[in-house]
Amino acid sequence: GLALDLGCGDGTESVALLEAGWDVHAFDAEDEAIARLTARVPDELHPRLHATVVALEDATFPSADFAYAGVSLPFVAPDKLPAVWTRLGDALRPGALLACHLFGERDGWATNPGMTFLTRTAVERLLDDFDVIELTEEEAVRPSASEAAKHWHIFEILATR
């Protein structure tokens, strides 16, 4: 099937999906992320990879059977997330699987106005058009890419369309 990797970062998930036989459309706003991804994909898998440098706010998602957005959607501005979420939902075929993370309002970065932080009720509302398989909420202090200790408030979502 066709998988979407929203905010592909270093490409770990895209490569795993390719190796598992998926065609992958990977999106990231950073040129360096797409360069890292394409550099690590074995030559024989390149024909099934479509990597695009684009902010999620501006991305057009093809019809897909699976979408993964690991810690990328919170970096979409609050006023832009509803449109991104709608486009993502519209791209998922019936029965498609969505795996993603969203940040809660008690996250350590919640003072950043350019990022999106949600209450549990708001997350549940976003999932109204999905069949939720799992919705977990976690709070913990762990390192981040830029901090030795960060307070994480995160929702982990697994749902079908």
Side-chain angles (χ1 to χ4, degrees):
L2 193 139
L4 308 176
D5 187 356
L6 281 62
C8 65
D10 69 1
T12 299
E13 290 80 10
S14 288
V15 171
L17 288 163
L18 288 164
E19 289 173 344
W22 292 86
D23 288 346
V24 176
H25 284 252
F27 304 88
D28 202 291
E30 301 295 326
D31 292 326
E32 301 83 30
I34 297 300
R36 282 191 305 270
L37 166 61
T38 55
R40 70 185 293 190
V41 171
D43 289 342
E44 68 273 10
L45 299 180
H46 269 276
R48 291 190 289 108
L49 173 65
H50 308 277
T52 306
V53 177
V54 64
L56 295 180
E57 295 92 325
D58 301 320
T60 300
F61 307 121
S63 293
D65 304 293
F66 175 67
Y68 176 75
V71 193
S72 58
L73 292 171
F75 290 90
V76 175
D79 63 326
K80 306 277 184 173
L81 184 66
V84 172
W85 188 263
T86 297
R87 284 197 320 277
L88 175 58
D90 289 348
L92 294 175
R93 296 176 179 138
L97 188 65
L98 169 67
C100 70
H101 299 106
L102 297 169
F103 286 171
E105 79 276 13
R106 294 182 301 278
D107 191 87
W109 293 335
T111 58
N112 185 331
M115 294 176 64
T116 297
F117 303 90
L118 302 168
T119 64
R120 184 175 186 97
T121 301
V123 170
E124 290 170 347
R125 259 183 277 156
L126 282 177
L127 294 169
D128 278 347
D129 293 333
F130 289 83
D131 292 321
V132 177
I133 298 168
E134 187 172 329
L135 170 58
T136 58
E137 182 176 359
E138 180 184 348
E139 288 194 60
V141 175
R142 293 190 308 264
S144 74
S146 60
E147 299 174 66
K150 175 195 177 288
H151 181 87
W152 292 90
H153 181 200
I154 195 163
F155 295 97
E156 297 174 338
I157 298 164
L158 188 60
T160 59
R161 190 70 172 146

